[in-house]
Amino acid sequence: MPFFRYVVVLLLLLPIALFAQEDQKTFTVRYTNDILKIDGILDEPIWEMAESAGAFHQYFPSDTTLAAQQTDIRMLYNNTTLYIAIKLNTEGDDYVIPSLQRDYRAGGNDNISLLFDTFNDGTNAFLFGMNPYGVRREALISNGGSGRDNFTTSWDVKWQGETKLYDGYYVCEIAIPLTSFKFKQGETKWRFNSYRFDMQTNETSTWIKIPQNQLIYSLAFMGDMVFEKPLGKSRTPLALIPYTTGLISKDFETDASESKINFGGDAKVSIGNGMNLDVTINPDFSNVEVDNLVVNLSRFEISLPERRQFFIDNSDLFGSFGSQRDANPFFSRRIGIAENLDGETIQNGIIGGVRLSGKLTEDWRMGLLAIQTEADEANEIASNNNTVLAFQKKMFARSNLSFLFVNRQTFDEYDFLEETDRYNRVVGLDYNLASANNTWFGKFYYHQAFAHDIGSRNASGGFNLQYNSRYLNFGLNSNFVGNDFRSDLGFVRRQDIVAARPFVEINFWPTRGKLNSHGFRFNPNAIWRPTLDYQNTDYNIFSSWQAKFKSQEEIAVRLFNRYTFLTDPFDPTGTDGGTELPGDVGYHYTSYEVSFQSDRRRVFSYSLEPGYGDFYNGTRFVFEGDLSLRLQPTVFISMGVNYNSIKLPEPYESADLWLISPRINITFNKSVFWSTLVQYSNQLDNLGFNSRLQWRFAPLSDLFLVYNDNYFVNSFMPRNRSINLKLTYWLNI
């Protein structure tokens, strides 16, 4: 579809009337000169003077009544600190606490979360949370909290929090330095909300009333916290985070051993009230959790989430452009990895980098990221400068218009480097639509790529518009990726496509019985290839029924009617040297799936997802499952299983593919954590062990001991082994 049609659609949507939530709540945050002791005991008389933010609404199992177990929040502040006292009523003391480790997952256990939209833009927010045992978590919410990808717990900041258990309730007392936030000098209010999970009464509640068809951390539903005196200047102290690491490793395939000691570090500098400057020199990511392996039966690459701390803060400014499924122009995991001469993915060292990001004004955000990677001439890998520049302008209640410039370029001359690979640039615009009450949301975008001798089909664009209500949801996602569109720092799943993915969903909310909600979804999608005279090469007609029970179990039944036209030969089993299905042939196939998720509040919980049906010219049986055992609060054991039995007629390949992933997490206390993950995959011919011991000896300062071991599956011969000791220390100046 030509770009001007997207512009016309965008202009037609701009004047849509956007209505805010009806239930606007507010409370006053009193100013104090006192410095309060954080101990979970609210014995300071000044707490009696603080205004209450209470009357929590139930979100689950109903969203039409006040919460059965009420929560009372009070706040005070002085020139440096925001103090928070929370009283949470409970039925008893049988709390669900899976772990003592920071940044826990909130669902399925007892905890409370506080959301602060400090720039009152409905787009970004800081989250702080605690559970009854005083375990803390913090997170960043982006893009209005409109999707599950807009929530990241990888952000870290220093703050205090303690809890104390009483008969029939528990108390959280919190002190957050104002320097942990970003806000406008002289500000008199922030938008605020809080949500709470109470497992004993099987209740989820929120301060602001939120309908169940909306995500509980949506920034469309917030009240106001009004400061008694305007806030002063926010200036985060200079933070230096040096590290040292020692590594011993051996590659058994090449019989090469290595022992080395590295030094490096990060610096965090506050610029004004809204901007952060982050600097990294010789970063080391050896302590980052390993990726979960996946079974890939498609012809295309898959994306994995970013886990490295340096790339997390304000990551939505850089990484939320385009289509996350088909053509994301910037995907930070591209930086620091490369392919060697054998086509294998290897680590590519990062020399250093800077990131400047945050709020320029009330309506403007900016992000600038520049990373320099080192050369590896033995593997014909050039040194590259990787730069991303983004601007975002707030529009209407919660929408924004964003500009992106991505540049990957080498400035040195290399004999092995083709001229077409010396640089690649992408320029684009995205309009992100979000109504005030989040009933309408979506995006419109257009990006163009530049490189030496690039072809004329070098653009990517599309739109995604969705309507979300209590009973009816519908939408259309349509996009195109040109055959010459290229983004070396992005994730482009496939080129030369025009895709259309409409959907409609009808939901029901029974007032009686065991069901909380159930509904039907119809989601056809199709892909055409412009260079093949717009031949329809793929379609999938997806139909499903899903239900959620008041006891928190979930069940779903799914039907897939697929068509795939293979333009090239392909072996879905990935058998080394196997006979491939022929190209220029189309395949129709139908399959079914059933899934069940048990109540995660239980000591033992599980999920099951069997499926069976046609697969190209054969059949496929698939079983996915997960078992979890909670010996709270110290031990959490889980086992993931993925089994695919693919049967294709002779002479094509058949295979039984297994992915088994047991994991054990032990939290000895709130400072010492030990996690071990084993991953067996016969598709990847790998048995991997990753064991990580972490000691948080000071706030945000850690000692890591990480052991990695990998074996070939068939021969059980070792592949590579390493042990790493890393020390980081967070120093505020």
Side-chain angles (χ1 to χ4, degrees), residues 74 406 623 641:
R74 297 169 186 255
V406 181
F623 176 83
V641 177

Side-chain angles (χ1 to χ4, degrees), residues 473 475 502-506 520-524 541-544 561:
N473 302 326
F503 83 93
V504 62
E505 186 177 70
I506 300 174
F520 298 89
R521 182 181 178 95
F522 180 66
N523 186 187
I541 302 175
F542 169 73
S543 308
S544 70
N561 296 284

Side-chain angles (χ1 to χ4, degrees), residues 22 33 54-55 72 247 273 282 294 341 360 391 411 485 491 510 525 534 587 615 658 716:
E22 297 177 0
N33 290 314
D72 179 77
L247 173 70
N273 272 53
N282 191 31
V294 296
L341 293 177
L360 287 172
F391 289 97
F411 297 102
F485 182 77
F491 177 79
N525 64 74
Y534 287 89
Y587 300 86
F615 189 65
W658 288 92
F716 202 69

Side-chain angles (χ1 to χ4, degrees), residues 229-468:
K229 292 172 52 177
L231 294 170
K233 193 171 185 179
S234 167
R235 179 168 294 279
T236 304
L238 170 65
L240 298 178
I241 314 170
Y243 83 85
T244 180
T245 180
L247 173 70
I248 300 175
S249 64
K250 182 173 182 178
D251 187 329
F252 290 90
E253 293 183 81
T254 62
D255 199 31
S257 299
E258 182 181 24
S259 299
K260 62 180 181 180
I261 297 177
N262 274 336
F263 301 91
D266 297 340
K268 294 179 176 291
V269 184
S270 175
I271 300 178
N273 272 53
M275 300 292 292
N276 285 325
L277 175 65
D278 293 270
V279 181
T280 186
I281 299 174
N282 191 31
D284 174 84
F285 306 113
S286 58
N287 60 298
V288 176
E289 289 189 44
V290 297
D291 291 316
N292 293 323
L293 297 182
V294 296
V295 176
N296 185 9
L297 302 179
S298 76
R299 296 159 286 162
F300 312 109
E301 181 186 15
I302 58 174
S303 63
L304 295 170
E306 178 62 83
R307 298 176 183 271
R308 298 171 294 180
Q309 177 67 32
F310 181 80
F311 295 99
I312 295 298
D313 199 8
N314 283 320
S315 60
D316 67 294
L317 265 173
F318 308 102
S320 61
F321 285 81
S323 165
Q324 302 299 304
R325 176 189 177 98
D326 291 317
N328 180 357
F330 178 68
F331 180 53
S332 61
R333 285 186 61 119
R334 295 290 186 210
I335 300 176
I337 63 171
E339 284 191 358
N340 62 16
L341 293 177
D342 297 323
E344 300 170 328
T345 300
I346 62 172
Q347 183 174 331
N348 181 212
I350 296 176
I351 299 171
V354 297
R355 181 186 63 230
L356 178 65
S357 60
K359 277 273 192 178
L360 287 172
T361 68
E362 184 175 349
D363 293 333
W364 283 92
R365 296 175 74 207
M366 171 198 168
L368 173 64
L369 176 69
I371 302 286
Q372 187 72 31
T373 57
E374 63 184 16
D376 183 356
E377 297 193 34
N379 282 300
E380 297 187 357
I381 299 171
S383 174
N384 284 288
N385 178 263
N386 309 276
T387 300
V388 188
L389 175 65
F391 289 97
Q392 185 182 95
K393 171 69 167 64
K394 179 185 176 184
M395 303 183 72
F396 306 106
R398 298 173 57 244
S399 304
N400 61 72
L401 180 67
S402 301
F403 165 82
L404 178 73
F405 171 72
V406 181
N407 183 57
R408 194 279 306 157
Q409 184 166 357
T410 181
F411 297 102
D412 297 326
E413 298 292 332
Y414 298 96
D415 294 336
F416 56 81
L417 198 64
E418 299 290 337
E419 191 66 29
T420 56
D421 294 326
R422 290 194 177 276
Y423 73 90
N424 169 240
R425 301 181 184 114
V426 178
V427 177
L429 283 175
D430 284 39
Y431 176 73
N432 296 289
L433 169 71
S435 65
N437 59 3
N438 213 47
T439 299
W440 288 95
F441 61 91
K443 75 154 48 183
F444 303 81
Y445 70 93
Y446 180 80
H447 304 148
Q448 191 142 352
F450 302 89
H452 183 76
D453 286 339
I454 198 169
S456 60
R457 298 176 181 264
N458 59 333
S460 173
F463 72 89
N464 178 18
L465 183 62
Q466 297 187 36
Y467 174 81
N468 183 8

Side-chain angles (χ1 to χ4, degrees), residues 72-353:
D72 179 77
I73 301 176
R74 297 169 186 255
M75 297 191 194
L76 301 165
Y77 75 110
N78 58 26
N79 291 332
T80 63
T81 308
L82 176 67
Y83 295 102
I84 306 169
I86 312 171
K87 179 182 177 183
L88 303 98
N89 293 332
T90 64
E91 272 191 355
D93 58 1
D94 187 19
Y95 301 111
V96 177
I97 310 293
S99 170
L100 296 175
Q101 188 165 5
R102 192 166 178 155
D103 291 339
Y104 53 84
R105 179 181 174 180
N109 57 91
D110 287 276
N111 59 83
I112 187 167
S113 296
L114 311 169
L115 290 77
F116 301 92
D117 176 4
T118 59
F119 283 97
N120 303 297
D121 58 12
T123 303
N124 296 275
F126 302 93
L127 180 146
F128 296 85
M130 290 191 73
N131 69 18
Y133 287 10
V135 182
R136 290 171 284 165
R137 73 172 187 148
E138 57 271 292
L140 296 175
I141 299 175
S142 59
N143 292 328
S146 59
R148 302 189 187 281
D149 294 336
N150 306 140
F151 191 105
T152 174
T153 58
S154 299
W155 173 64
D156 285 325
V157 70
K158 289 185 176 181
W159 57 288
Q160 290 180 273
E162 295 293 340
T163 59
K164 191 168 181 61
L165 305 180
Y166 297 88
D167 185 17
Y169 67 96
Y170 67 95
V171 169
C172 299
E173 192 171 17
I174 295 170
I176 307 174
L178 291 175
T179 54
S180 297
F181 302 97
K182 290 294 179 184
F183 54 87
K184 184 176 66 174
Q185 184 176 355
E187 186 61 82
T188 58
K189 78 174 181 68
W190 295 349
R191 297 175 74 242
F192 170 78
N193 195 21
S194 175
Y195 62 87
R196 173 194 174 185
F197 292 92
D198 178 37
M199 297 298 100
Q200 295 176 79
T201 53
N202 190 26
E203 180 179 67
T204 305
S205 57
T206 59
W207 182 56
I208 292 293
K209 184 178 180 180
I210 301 178
Q212 285 192 45
N213 60 288
Q214 300 285 348
L215 290 177
I216 197 170
Y217 51 81
S218 171
L219 303 187
F221 303 90
M222 304 187 82
D224 291 330
M225 49 183 286
V226 179
F227 294 96
E228 192 173 35
K229 292 172 52 177
L231 294 170
K233 193 171 185 179
S234 167
R235 179 168 294 279
T236 304
L238 170 65
L240 298 178
I241 314 170
Y243 83 85
T244 180
T245 180
L247 173 70
I248 300 175
S249 64
K250 182 173 182 178
D251 187 329
F252 290 90
E253 293 183 81
T254 62
D255 199 31
S257 299
E258 182 181 24
S259 299
K260 62 180 181 180
I261 297 177
N262 274 336
F263 301 91
D266 297 340
K268 294 179 176 291
V269 184
S270 175
I271 300 178
N273 272 53
M275 300 292 292
N276 285 325
L277 175 65
D278 293 270
V279 181
T280 186
I281 299 174
N282 191 31
D284 174 84
F285 306 113
S286 58
N287 60 298
V288 176
E289 289 189 44
V290 297
D291 291 316
N292 293 323
L293 297 182
V294 296
V295 176
N296 185 9
L297 302 179
S298 76
R299 296 159 286 162
F300 312 109
E301 181 186 15
I302 58 174
S303 63
L304 295 170
E306 178 62 83
R307 298 176 183 271
R308 298 171 294 180
Q309 177 67 32
F310 181 80
F311 295 99
I312 295 298
D313 199 8
N314 283 320
S315 60
D316 67 294
L317 265 173
F318 308 102
S320 61
F321 285 81
S323 165
Q324 302 299 304
R325 176 189 177 98
D326 291 317
N328 180 357
F330 178 68
F331 180 53
S332 61
R333 285 186 61 119
R334 295 290 186 210
I335 300 176
I337 63 171
E339 284 191 358
N340 62 16
L341 293 177
D342 297 323
E344 300 170 328
T345 300
I346 62 172
Q347 183 174 331
N348 181 212
I350 296 176
I351 299 171

Side-chain angles (χ1 to χ4, degrees), residues 510-534:
T511 57
R512 298 179 180 178
K514 296 181 178 181
L515 279 179
N516 182 69
S517 66
H518 68 103
F520 298 89
R521 182 181 178 95
F522 180 66
N523 186 187
N525 64 74
I527 292 176
W528 296 267
R529 295 283 301 276
T531 63
L532 300 179
D533 294 327
Y534 287 89

Side-chain angles (χ1 to χ4, degrees), residues 19-35:
F19 299 98
Q21 65 207 44
E22 297 177 0
D23 185 15
Q24 186 68 23
K25 297 171 71 174
T26 184
F27 69 98
T28 300
V29 185
R30 303 293 185 192
Y31 181 85
T32 179
N33 290 314
D34 295 349
I35 299 176

